[in-house]
Amino acid sequence: MEQRLEGLAEQVKEQFGLRDYTLAREHIHRRVGPNRETQFIYSMEWFPSDSDQDDEDLNPEGTASIEVDVHTGQLQHVIFVGGVTHAESIVLDDEAKVRRWIETETGVNVAEQTEQASREIRTYQYHSMIDGIRTTPAGTIEIRLDEAGRLVFFTIHGRFPKKEEADVESFPSRRKR
């Protein structure tokens, strides 16, 4: 297991360009997913190398808090404290790049499995959907970027079923008698 975690930490360090960061804290926690499946999540806190860590309870600005599913290696959450990154972070400076990054990282086909819930300046939010109908239980993806288009926040919750996985029910037609 230790080798698996070391591999995930190295993968995250490379992916987010955390060369000037130090892995300061790490732990594993258990989460129960929407289908009652158990996930083990590897949570890492990467501190900028030049930060002063005066208070053990607070993370310095620019800290990268990143969670990855231990078994699948799928990214679950990314937060750069204060919306500040000192990393050679992922740059997503237009919506097409945001969509491609989501598809690469999560396997979710943004065009077929989501609807854009909101788009504010540098913030993108998507909900799970099939054929124009939101799915239940719901899935949500949110991304926030800094002024330079660098990723400073990512989260994915719930499921994003493919069309062939959906249990489509037909409703009886209402005829006037």
Side-chain angles (χ1 to χ4, degrees):
M1 180 63 117
E2 189 173 326
Q3 283 182 322
R4 174 82 177 137
L5 298 181
E6 287 174 7
L8 288 172
E10 194 57 41
Q11 173 187 322
V12 163
K13 183 175 185 172
E14 183 64 31
Q15 179 180 7
F16 286 93
L18 300 173
R19 287 174 252 314
D20 294 330
Y21 280 70
T22 303
L23 181 56
R25 297 183 193 129
E26 58 186 324
H27 68 274
I28 296 175
H29 63 272
R30 179 180 173 262
R31 180 182 301 152
V32 178
N35 288 340
R36 299 185 189 267
E37 74 279 4
T38 296
Q39 291 178 293
F40 290 98
I41 305 299
Y42 182 35
S43 181
M44 298 167 270
E45 292 179 354
W46 297 82
F47 289 1
S49 298
D50 61 353
S51 66
D52 292 327
Q53 182 56 22
D54 296 334
D55 188 345
E56 287 184 20
D57 294 331
L58 298 176
N59 289 337
E61 184 173 84
T63 295
S65 178
I66 301 174
E67 293 186 349
V68 178
D69 184 299
V70 171
H71 297 291
T72 66
Q74 185 179 21
L75 197 58
Q76 299 292 305
H77 302 286
V78 175
I79 300 170
F80 282 90
V81 174
V84 174
T85 178
H86 304 289
E88 299 163 17
S89 191
I90 296 161
V91 178
L92 306 169
D93 50 8
D94 65 38
E95 188 171 351
K97 288 180 183 176
V98 169
R99 289 170 165 260
R100 278 193 303 273
W101 187 84
I102 289 171
E103 289 177 356
T104 300
E105 286 304 314
T106 67
V108 172
N109 183 319
V110 175
E112 293 179 11
Q113 294 173 262
T114 71
E115 70 174 342
Q116 192 165 12
S118 69
R119 183 187 182 283
E120 299 172 19
I121 297 173
R122 296 182 301 275
T123 299
Y124 300 85
Q125 190 176 60
Y126 301 90
H127 293 295
S128 58
M129 171 192 85
I130 296 176
D131 288 339
I133 300 170
R134 284 198 183 174
T135 62
T136 301
T140 302
I141 296 172
E142 185 173 344
I143 288 183
R144 292 186 210 141
L145 310 170
D146 69 6
E147 297 79 28
R150 294 177 298 190
L151 182 75
V152 293
F153 179 86
F154 164 77
T155 190
I156 183 169
H157 293 285
R159 292 193 64 241
F160 290 82
K162 293 180 169 74
K163 189 174 185 175
E164 54 273 7
E165 297 173 327
D167 185 15
V168 179
E169 296 180 13
S170 58
F171 294 95
S173 62
R174 294 183 155 190
R175 289 193 240 163
K176 292 184 179 180
R177 294 184 194 189

